[in-house]
Amino acid sequence: MEDCLAKKMEITVSEAEKRTGRNAMNIQETYTAYLIETRAVESQSEGQCAPVESLWRRYSEFELLRNYLSVTYPHIVVPPLPEKRADFVWHKLSADNMDPDFVERRRIGLENFLLRVASHPVLCQDKIFYAFLMQEGGWKEMVNETGFQLKADSRLKALNATFRVKNPDKRFTELKHYSDELQSVISHLLRVRARVADRLYGVYKVHGNYGRVFSEWSAIEKEMGDGLQSAGHHMDVYAASIDDILEEEEHYADQLKEYLFYAEALRAVCRKHELMQYDLEMAAQDLTSKKQQCEELATGTVRTFSLKGMTSKLFGQETPEQREAKIKVLEEQIQEGEEQLKSKNLESRDFVKSAWADIERFKEQKNHDLKEALISYAVMQISMCKKGIQVWTNAKECFSKM
């Protein structure tokens, strides 16, 4: 961790800007660009003021970077991007992806994504990631030249592997189930939070009615008027405060959403392992089949029914020379198959070792982050309750002075 990029460089997404331009289809579009600023830490420690490097990136470029990292490092739980469009929001909040409040939260999420990658012991050393931070022109071409898209596995292939693997690794199966359950639990929690936020919004705003009634009442009371007016003012302030409170609460919701999307990153690692296991089993099955064919040719016996066996009976046996030639070809294929199987076994063992080390790192990070987010959320709720108690305490004092 001492060598990670986050220790050597300050990385911020400092600004978001709405822009208009033409896309690849030459169609006019409006999009948001984000300003990434970087500064070397070493120069600052030496008492020098390091220059700030800056460049603009679109959300789609962040997506391209993450896709590249996911394909290039299949054994790593790659940090997720913040949502492209708002989801699980309380109904008074805009779900428009151009809404300033949403853009601001996404700016924070994109900065967090870059810091996650820069803090990862493996991902932080990737040259494409470093170029993303430092090289504005020609970066997309540089990514595409890696040919990472050719390595991407199709969903159909992944689905096929899921259903056809005969000996799945129990640890990855359990991890896949865990990620499904984690996503389900956090989704439910976010839906509950959105409903609570809606009701809370209504309760706070109704306090504005207290303010209006107390103000109207104060106009007809001489001795009680000042007290009623003051109490009404406290109610109005309380009613107006909910907008800022719930906007702040969305930041805590975004912390939970990050792990909602991390669940999919966990499943991606599990799918890659299933594909490797499936390829390994297919290679072993093919090798066994070739060995059986070779043995049948050498001994002249057929263990199982085959079209080839039926053909021999109908049209006569092969000559010794033909059989020898076929045996020689099969022996070469068997030797090649054994080498491939050995290579795939080594690759699979290395993948499991690397993946499990990264999953353990992720679990530690997850436990720490979710604990902090939930504590912060509880503290905020306590603060809101205290604010409500203070408002009614102030109102009580106003009533007492009447």
Side-chain angles (χ1 to χ4, degrees):
M1 289 298 292
E2 292 298 322
D3 295 330
C4 72
L5 192 61
K7 297 282 186 182
K8 301 175 182 177
M9 181 185 287
E10 289 180 1
I11 302 170
T12 57
V13 179
S14 58
E15 193 179 326
E17 183 179 278
K18 191 175 178 180
R19 293 183 178 181
T20 304
R22 293 192 173 276
N23 60 21
M25 304 292 290
N26 201 31
I27 298 172
Q28 189 91 345
E29 64 172 348
T30 302
Y31 61 92
T32 305
Y34 298 88
L35 182 64
I36 300 172
E37 294 186 333
T38 53
R39 186 202 299 266
V41 173
E42 291 175 359
S43 301
Q44 294 181 54
S45 62
E46 294 168 4
Q48 300 174 355
C49 185
V52 175
E53 303 286 341
S54 64
L55 50 77
W56 293 89
R57 294 284 185 207
R58 296 182 59 171
Y59 185 88
S60 58
E61 291 176 285
F62 280 88
E63 285 183 309
L64 180 60
L65 171 64
R66 190 181 182 280
N67 288 340
Y68 159 79
L69 293 174
S70 298
V71 172
T72 308
Y73 303 96
H75 61 282
I76 286 175
V77 186
V78 178
L81 290 169
E83 58 193 342
K84 195 164 187 175
R85 287 176 177 76
D87 201 2
F88 300 107
V89 296
W90 52 286
H91 77 277
K92 295 290 181 183
L93 200 68
S94 173
D96 179 12
N97 65 341
M98 287 294 175
D99 178 76
D101 291 329
F102 174 70
V103 169
E104 170 60 16
R105 291 203 316 279
R106 190 163 69 176
R107 178 196 67 76
I108 294 169
L110 291 173
E111 180 176 291
N112 184 57
F113 165 74
L114 294 180
L115 292 174
R116 292 278 197 209
V117 176
S119 301
H120 193 283
V122 177
L123 300 180
C124 72
Q125 300 177 44
D126 187 89
K127 292 179 181 178
I128 295 292
F129 171 59
Y130 187 78
F132 179 87
L133 299 173
M134 307 300 294
Q135 180 182 320
E136 189 163 17
W139 178 79
K140 283 186 181 178
E141 291 74 16
M142 185 177 176
V143 183
N144 291 327
E145 282 171 9
T146 64
F148 80 95
Q149 295 97 333
L150 300 174
K151 300 176 189 173
D153 297 305
S154 70
R155 287 195 173 274
L156 186 63
K157 188 178 176 185
L159 190 65
N160 185 47
T162 300
F163 288 107
R164 296 185 66 180
V165 168
K166 294 176 182 176
N167 299 301
D169 187 312
K170 186 180 178 182
R171 290 177 302 171
F172 284 94
T173 302
E174 289 174 352
L175 182 66
K176 195 175 180 182
H177 290 157
Y178 167 76
S179 63
D180 289 340
E181 289 170 357
L182 177 66
Q183 192 169 47
S184 176
V185 167
I186 294 180
S187 296
H188 187 61
L189 184 62
L190 288 166
R191 280 193 289 271
V192 170
R193 186 208 68 89
R195 289 200 299 272
V196 169
D198 281 339
R199 292 181 183 180
L200 204 60
Y201 182 84
V203 168
Y204 267 67
K205 289 302 183 184
V206 164
H207 279 71
N209 293 342
Y210 278 130
R212 178 177 54 79
V213 171
F214 286 148
S215 181
E216 290 173 356
W217 193 3
S218 70
I220 63 171
E221 299 285 356
K222 290 183 180 178
E223 292 81 7
M224 297 168 60
D226 289 345
L228 290 168
Q229 185 72 37
S230 296
H233 172 70
H234 286 301
M235 295 299 166
D236 287 336
V237 171
Y238 185 61
S241 68
I242 190 60
D243 297 283
D244 291 337
I245 289 170
L246 289 184
E247 180 57 44
E248 181 188 348
E249 190 181 290
E250 283 300 313
H251 291 291
Y252 297 119
D254 288 339
Q255 289 177 295
L256 291 175
K257 285 178 184 178
E258 183 186 19
Y259 280 90
L260 182 74
F261 305 138
Y262 254 127
E264 175 54 33
L266 274 177
R267 280 199 296 272
V269 175
C270 295
R271 281 197 300 269
K272 186 62 184 177
H273 180 260
E274 283 176 342
L275 278 164
M276 293 187 76
Q277 183 64 23
Y278 179 65
D279 285 343
L280 189 64
E281 289 179 6
M282 289 298 101
Q285 187 177 313
D286 185 57
L287 181 61
T288 302
S289 175
K290 282 186 169 57
K291 284 182 175 179
Q292 185 179 323
Q293 288 178 45
C294 190
E295 185 183 342
E296 288 172 355
L297 282 168
T299 60
T301 58
V302 179
R303 291 184 184 178
T304 57
F305 172 81
S306 69
L307 186 61
K308 192 176 288 184
M310 285 296 295
T311 305
S312 297
K313 287 181 179 179
L314 290 170
F315 301 104
Q317 294 290 333
E318 296 169 318
T319 64
E321 291 79 11
Q322 288 175 323
R323 193 162 59 248
E324 285 298 323
K326 285 188 176 182
I327 290 172
K328 188 177 180 181
V329 169
L330 279 169
E331 285 175 343
E332 289 173 358
Q333 290 176 345
I334 288 167
Q335 187 178 355
E336 186 181 326
E338 285 175 338
E339 289 173 3
Q340 284 183 352
L341 190 61
K342 184 180 178 182
S343 174
K344 285 180 184 293
N345 268 310
L346 285 171
E347 185 185 356
S348 180
R349 280 199 291 270
D350 288 344
F351 178 90
V352 171
K353 183 180 177 182
S354 301
W356 214 250
D358 196 66
I359 287 162
E360 291 300 321
R361 179 204 60 80
F362 165 77
K363 285 179 180 177
E364 190 176 332
Q365 170 196 301
K366 170 187 66 78
N367 293 345
H368 174 269
D369 290 349
L370 290 179
K371 176 184 174 182
E372 291 296 315
L374 292 169
I375 289 173
S376 297
Y377 187 69
V379 168
M380 194 198 75
Q381 295 293 333
I382 292 168
S383 175
M384 287 169 61
C385 293
K386 284 181 177 177
K387 185 174 285 188
I389 292 170
Q390 188 60 52
V391 164
W392 283 102
T393 301
N394 293 340
K396 179 187 172 185
E397 290 175 3
C398 293
F399 299 146
S400 299
K401 292 175 182 177
M402 292 192 304

